[in-house]
């Protein structure tokens, strides 16, 4: 596979070997079937540019097995995944950011993430489970090349794959992934078509970021920080630490805290606690959820930890607040902190 750079090949070669997939080249596409006693299914892949890989697989292990994967360096990824693939990716620790449901895709989740350096990963595949995904993988060199050709237009786009997206960007990512067929495209010009989808996605993401009229560098930093904190709380219930947020945004902790406080009037920790409280009150407004379920959705290790944090802020237990909110016909969430990132 000499036409595919080593950094890209390393991302799929372990899967090919462990699942017993034999890849064959057909034009610009590599196609393979799992032809062993280990798994059934198929895989196809294409490198439409030296710094980008399109990879699709749909495999079913025939026995429980560990899967060892890794990367030789940093890369960004946008992908769709079935439920089993999502669970596998979480198991091995990929820092995924799931995009919100748009009501169209019923089977697969859509996610983006960034790996910042070489890493070895392991997860467990379960017999009879379906591991299905479609991915577009980008090396940093792709963005460096775009930045050289179009100075200033693509700066910071690589790291953006590790955070939350606005509605327009989510739509562009979904469209690009929708354009990737589940079966290998073996017609003439298919490689050029895949490259067109990738470059169109880059252009749309860059255009969307530029359309924020008059946004200064500090405003942009504070906005991205708010988006990441909000996505984390809405997704897993737990906000990122200030240090983790700073690393994700490629700024120092002190710079992040200074800019965030100046732009929002709140510290990062206070903003995270405010969002967590608001979500707690929204969830408590759903009487079909038990308080223990609300605690779990907010990422608390136990119901007692949640009740203690909630009561210390609002002066009443979650159950008592729910009763009062119900009597008041859904009173809005009060202002105040409810645990979260430290300052």
């Amino acid at each position: 596979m000499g036409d595919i750079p080593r950094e890209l090949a390393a991302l799929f070669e372990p899967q090919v070997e462990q699942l017993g997939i034999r890849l064959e080249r057909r034009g610009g596409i590599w196609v393979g079937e799992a032809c062993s006693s280990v798994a059934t299914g198929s895989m196809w892949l294409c490198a439409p540019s030296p710094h980008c890989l399109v990879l699709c697989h749909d495999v079913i292990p025939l026995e429980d097995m560990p899967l060892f994967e890794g990367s030789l360096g940093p890369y960004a990824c946008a992908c769709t995944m079935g439920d089993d693939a999502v669970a596998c990716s979480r198991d091995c620790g990929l820092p995924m950011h799931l995009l919100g449901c748009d009501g169209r895709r019923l089977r697969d989740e859509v996610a983006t993430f960034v790996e910042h350096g070489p890493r070895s990963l392991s997860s467990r595949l379960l017999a009879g489970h379906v591991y299905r995904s479609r991915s577009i993988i980008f090396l940093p060199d792709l963005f460096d090349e775009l930045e050289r050709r179009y100075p200033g237009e693509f700066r910071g786009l690589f790291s953006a794959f590790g955070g939350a997206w606005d509605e327009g960007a989510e739509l562009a990512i979904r469209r690009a992934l929708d354009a990737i067929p589940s079966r290998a495209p073996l017609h003439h010009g298919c490689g050029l078509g895949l490259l067109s989808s990738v470059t169109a996605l880059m252009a749309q993401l860059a255009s969307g970021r530029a359309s924020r009229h008059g946004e200064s560098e500090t405003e942009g930093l504070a906005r991205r920080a708010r988006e990441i904190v909000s996505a984390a709380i809405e997704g897993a219930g737990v906000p990122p630490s200030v240090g983790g947020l700073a690393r994700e945004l490629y700024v120092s902790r002190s710079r992040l805290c200074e800019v965030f406080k100046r732009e929002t009037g709140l510290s990062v920790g206070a903003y995270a606690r405010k969002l967590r409280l608001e979500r707690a009150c929204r969830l408590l407004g759903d009487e079909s959820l038990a308080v223990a379920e609300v605690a779990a959705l907010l990422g608390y290790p136990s119901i007692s930890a949640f009740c203690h944090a909630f009561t210390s802020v609002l002066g009443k237990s979650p159950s008592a607040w729910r009763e009062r909110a119900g009597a008041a016909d859904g009173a809005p969430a009060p202002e105040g902190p409810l645990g979260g990132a430290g300052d």
Side-chain angles (χ1 to χ4, degrees):
M1 306 190 74
D3 62 325
I4 297 181
R6 184 62 188 155
E7 293 85 353
L8 293 175
L11 298 173
F12 62 82
E13 282 182 339
Q15 302 173 39
V16 169
E17 180 178 353
Q18 293 170 78
L19 294 170
I21 298 174
R22 177 179 298 175
L23 287 173
E24 297 180 354
R25 183 167 184 169
R26 300 183 185 178
I29 307 293
W30 289 86
V31 183
E33 298 287 334
C35 50
S36 71
S37 61
V38 178
T40 62
S42 62
M43 172 187 288
W44 72 266
L45 58 95
C46 174
S49 89
H51 311 306
C52 174
L53 179 72
V54 177
L55 173 64
C56 296
H57 64 73
D58 191 340
V59 295
I60 302 175
L62 300 178
E63 58 186 41
D64 291 357
M65 59 180 291
L67 182 68
F68 300 99
E69 304 174 85
S71 59
L72 298 180
Y75 69 94
C77 181
C79 57
T80 68
M81 293 182 286
D83 291 341
D84 291 326
V86 171
C88 178
S89 298
R90 284 176 169 160
D91 182 37
C92 70
L94 285 177
M96 299 184 305
H97 292 266
L98 297 180
L99 277 60
C101 177
D102 66 353
R104 297 184 302 111
R105 186 177 300 282
L106 300 178
R107 294 195 308 162
D108 294 348
E109 296 278 8
V110 180
T112 64
F113 64 88
V114 172
E115 283 280 35
H116 295 289
R119 193 151 76 112
S120 296
L121 306 173
S122 65
S123 56
R124 187 152 190 84
L125 302 185
L126 302 178
H129 287 233
V130 180
Y131 295 92
R132 177 184 62 248
S133 72
R134 291 182 290 178
S135 304
I136 306 176
I137 298 167
F138 313 95
L139 296 180
D141 301 39
L142 174 67
F143 301 89
D144 293 341
E145 183 178 310
L146 288 170
E147 184 61 25
R148 285 192 296 270
R149 295 181 63 183
Y150 309 98
E153 295 185 25
F154 294 89
R155 185 178 299 123
L157 192 53
F158 173 79
S159 60
F161 280 81
W165 299 96
D166 62 26
E167 184 177 349
E170 287 191 2
L171 180 59
I173 292 169
R174 289 180 185 279
R175 284 176 174 168
L177 292 168
D178 282 343
I180 299 173
S182 57
R183 293 185 176 275
L186 301 178
H187 54 275
H188 293 306
C190 58
L192 183 60
L194 293 171
L195 179 60
S196 175
S197 295
V198 171
T199 54
L201 173 60
M202 295 295 100
Q204 290 168 33
L205 294 178
S207 176
R209 287 156 62 89
S211 67
R212 300 180 184 278
H213 301 292
E215 183 178 72
S216 68
E217 179 185 354
T218 57
E219 289 171 338
L221 175 59
R223 172 185 54 76
R224 294 194 301 275
R226 291 196 306 271
E227 290 173 347
I228 293 171
V229 171
S230 177
I233 291 175
E234 292 297 324
V238 181
S241 67
V242 176
L245 183 60
R247 287 191 296 273
E248 191 163 351
L249 291 167
Y250 291 94
V251 296
S252 68
R253 179 189 173 104
S254 59
R255 169 69 172 167
L256 172 63
C257 291
E258 174 192 357
V259 168
F260 197 92
K261 184 64 178 286
R262 183 167 70 245
E263 295 294 333
T264 68
L266 295 172
S267 68
V268 176
Y271 179 79
R273 291 191 289 270
K274 177 177 180 292
L275 291 190
R276 207 178 191 194
L277 172 63
E278 291 173 351
R279 186 171 188 232
C281 292
R282 291 200 311 272
L283 292 172
L284 288 170
D286 182 354
E287 295 187 357
S288 67
L289 292 173
V291 173
E293 293 177 293
V294 173
L297 289 170
L298 290 166
Y300 283 92
S302 66
I303 186 174
S304 60
F306 169 54
C307 291
H308 175 76
F310 193 94
T311 304
S312 66
V313 173
L314 298 183
K316 55 178 65 65
S317 69
S319 297
W321 187 92
R322 169 179 274 174
E323 291 176 4
R324 180 184 175 187
D329 194 24
E335 298 290 332
L338 187 61
D343 294 320

